[in-house]
Amino acid sequence: MKLPFTKGFAAGLLILITVSFTSCQAQKEPQPAPGAAAVATAQPQAAAVEVIEPTAAEQLIAKEAGLQILDVRTPEEVSAGVIANAKTINWFDADFATRAEASLDKTKPVLVYCKVGGRSAQAAEVLVQKGFTKVYNLKGGMMKWEGDSHPVQK
């Protein structure tokens, strides 16, 4: 048996959905009992990845003594040259996160780069999830770095 779909049925359904949504929105966090001390529930802010242009990155490298530089490209890409003093950990290695945690200091800033910026963005997010406090992602990666005539160590 086929039931007719009427405007009245549709209007009723819309009202039901709206009431359900509104009632969920109106729900509030439980309040402490009167006279009870309020407990602070603030969570620490998670670090965010900061995207940085090559010129700003070069300035950061020059002034930040504790800066760690992480190249996440493949060995073949790395063989064409790196930013001076970069550690290399291939993003595609299954143990990338483990190796990064073992070889980098979480309390010191890290500048991450790859060929064009995609892998390094993913790697930077992993570092933040692992508790690194300050992470930079080089915008445009090594392609933009070299294109803007910044130094490369061969």
Side-chain angles (χ1 to χ4, degrees):
M1 174 160 125
K2 190 173 183 181
L3 297 175
F5 186 78
T6 64
K7 288 182 183 180
F9 176 78
L13 184 59
L14 181 59
I15 290 170
L16 179 63
I17 292 170
T18 303
V19 169
S20 296
F21 179 77
T22 304
S23 67
C24 288
Q25 293 292 325
Q27 292 178 1
K28 295 182 179 180
E29 296 274 331
Q31 299 297 316
V39 178
T41 59
Q43 298 294 322
Q45 288 279 343
V49 175
E50 183 177 334
V51 179
I52 188 169
E53 292 283 342
T55 300
E58 188 173 35
Q59 293 168 353
L60 182 67
I61 291 167
K63 75 173 187 169
E64 184 72 45
L67 181 69
Q68 305 167 99
I69 305 169
L70 178 60
D71 185 329
V72 299
R73 297 176 301 155
T74 65
E76 296 78 21
E77 292 169 317
V78 168
S79 69
V82 298
I83 296 175
N85 301 314
K87 294 181 181 185
T88 59
I89 305 173
N90 185 353
W91 168 248
F92 295 119
D93 287 347
D95 62 346
F96 170 82
T98 303
R99 292 179 56 207
E101 281 188 292
S103 64
L104 298 169
D105 183 339
K106 290 182 179 184
T107 65
K108 294 182 180 177
V110 182
L111 171 64
V112 186
Y113 71 94
C114 63
K115 185 173 182 177
V116 295
R119 287 173 284 172
S120 60
Q122 293 174 323
E125 288 296 333
V126 167
L127 295 179
V128 167
Q129 291 170 5
K130 294 292 185 181
F132 285 78
T133 56
K134 187 64 180 173
V135 182
Y136 299 94
N137 180 31
L138 181 62
K139 184 176 183 177
M142 196 63 163
M143 295 288 289
K144 186 157 175 51
W145 178 268
E146 288 183 289
D148 290 353
S149 301
H150 296 285
V152 175
Q153 184 178 12
K154 303 250 179 177

